[in-house]
Amino acid sequence: MKQTAVITGGSRGIGFAIARQLASENYNVAILDVNDPEAYRENLNQLDEMKADWLYYRGSVAEKADREGFVQAVTEKYGDIDVLVNNAGVAPLVRQDILQMTEESFDRVMTINLKGAMFFTQLVARKMLEQEYKGNRRGVIVNICSSSAYISSIIRGEYCMSKAGMAMMTLLYADRLAGEGINVYEIRPGVIDTDMTSVVHKKYSDLIEKGAFPIARWGTPQDIADAVSVFVSGKLSYCTGNYLDLDGGFHIPRL
Ligand SMILES: NC(=O)c1ccc[n+]([C@@H]2O[C@H](COP(=O)([O-])OP(=O)(O)OC[C@H]3O[C@@H](n4cnc5c(N)ncnc54)[C@H](OP(=O)(O)O)[C@@H]3O)[C@@H](O)[C@H]2O)c1
């Protein structure tokens, strides 16, 4: 029977690559995103060309009513939710030194990146717990975190803190849900070529050219989608709470 994957922030970038990948693996894909779907119509057209079954719900992961409305829409159309990918995330609107960081920016980033993912996962996990086992599992959760969970960037501290919080969120849900047939994984992308990084494209391209990354290229959204594919495959069923650095080897301490 066809399974259903839910992806937040899936209209473009990494989230869309994940949606397309899972659609290619015969999942129904349900996307929650703040954007007008017409803004990224060419992406949705790709799903149609693949003859994918998809649902697009316009709303914010930071809003309780939107989270609930989305889960209701997915339940009505598809029934179970088998895969949750917490991908929606934002960078600070203005990069500034931690000594200048505003409370407004802190609240915005933490509310979307951490609180939104935390309570959306809570909602979906509760639903998964009501579902029948399929084989040895009731669901899989993948959190799209970041190298910023452990690397200090003093001009976007709120982003780093939101991702460090997400890393603990991965452990907490993995621990809570391990006995319930739901494994939880985390991916920590390094620098991935998307709209989010377009504002710092030159800075990161220069770093890549200077050899800062052992694998000397930009990461692609498809690199992340491929890793999600592995995590949801069921081939890692004896591990949960693990993270994968997807950063061209940037996490390796070097002399
Ligand atoms: N790109 C990288 O180098 C990189 C590295 C490490 C981690 N990540 C993480 O990977 C994830 C995806 O990043 P990306 O580069 O693909 O970013 P992106 O190109 O900005 O795409 C993110 C998508 O999420 C949507 N979104 C924003 N706030 C939302 C909300 N409240 N509710 C639902 N959807 C929302 C965005 O809408 P808008 O168009 O309105 O913003 C956008 O469609 C993020 O969590 C990011 O932190 C990215």
Side-chain angles (χ1 to χ4, degrees):
M1 198 181 140
K2 227 176 153 186
Q3 299 200 3
T4 298
V6 156
I7 302 117
T8 64
S11 73
R12 64 178 182 152
I14 292 170
F16 175 68
I18 294 167
R20 186 180 52 202
Q21 179 63 35
L22 296 181
S24 78
E25 295 175 17
N26 205 32
Y27 282 90
N28 304 312
V29 290
I31 293 170
L32 170 70
D33 199 292
V34 280
N35 286 315
D36 179 346
E38 289 313 312
Y40 296 97
R41 172 54 57 189
E42 69 276 18
N43 286 345
L44 298 175
N45 287 345
Q46 285 186 43
L47 297 179
D48 281 336
E49 282 157 23
M50 297 163 68
K51 308 223 177 314
D53 196 338
W54 56 269
L55 176 156
Y56 189 100
Y57 191 97
R58 190 176 182 188
S60 170
V61 74
E63 297 292 332
K64 186 169 191 272
D66 291 350
R67 294 192 295 264
E68 290 175 350
F70 177 51
V71 168
Q72 190 180 339
V74 178
T75 304
E76 278 166 14
K77 183 160 187 196
Y78 299 121
D80 289 356
I81 294 177
D82 303 287
V83 170
L84 163 60
V85 184
N86 284 306
N87 166 78
V90 292
L93 293 173
V94 183
R95 289 178 171 231
Q96 50 187 0
D97 188 279
I98 192 165
L99 297 180
Q100 267 73 50
M101 184 200 296
T102 63
E103 290 194 33
E104 290 73 20
S105 180
F106 181 90
D107 285 346
R108 172 179 170 270
V109 173
M110 293 296 272
T111 302
I112 295 171
N113 294 7
L114 183 57
K115 185 178 168 191
M118 158 63 215
F119 287 99
F120 188 56
T121 304
Q122 185 188 69
L123 185 64
V124 173
R126 284 178 182 162
K127 177 174 164 52
M128 285 175 171
L129 292 181
E130 292 166 1
Q131 298 173 183
E132 298 292 325
Y133 274 84
K134 289 174 189 148
N136 63 353
R137 80 180 190 195
R138 276 200 287 211
V140 183
I141 298 171
V142 184
N143 297 324
I144 307 302
C145 191
S146 173
S147 303
S148 296
Y150 70 95
I151 295 175
S152 160
S153 294
I154 54 174
I155 54 166
R156 51 188 185 114
E158 57 276 65
Y159 182 80
C160 299
M161 286 186 270
S162 73
K163 294 299 186 179
M166 177 177 255
M168 177 49 75
M169 188 187 108
T170 301
L171 295 178
L172 289 163
Y173 275 118
D175 185 8
R176 175 63 183 83
L177 299 171
E180 307 279 5
I182 302 169
N183 286 357
V184 184
Y185 305 107
E186 176 183 313
I187 295 170
R188 296 186 181 171
V191 296
I192 311 299
D193 198 0
T194 68
D195 292 339
M196 183 182 269
T197 44
S198 58
V199 285
V200 282
H201 204 274
K202 180 161 177 359
K203 175 184 168 182
Y204 290 152
S205 291
D206 288 350
L207 277 175
I208 292 166
E209 209 165 289
K210 286 183 186 138
F213 294 78
I215 299 174
R217 67 166 174 84
W218 276 86
T220 66
Q222 188 59 42
D223 288 322
I224 310 300
D226 287 340
V228 171
S229 170
V230 173
F231 278 133
V232 306
S233 69
K235 297 206 168 179
L236 296 169
S237 64
Y238 192 53
C239 62
T240 189
N242 301 76
Y243 66 83
L244 184 66
D245 289 301
L246 245 154
D247 60 356
F250 192 59
H251 64 278
I252 302 170
R254 299 159 99 194
L255 266 179

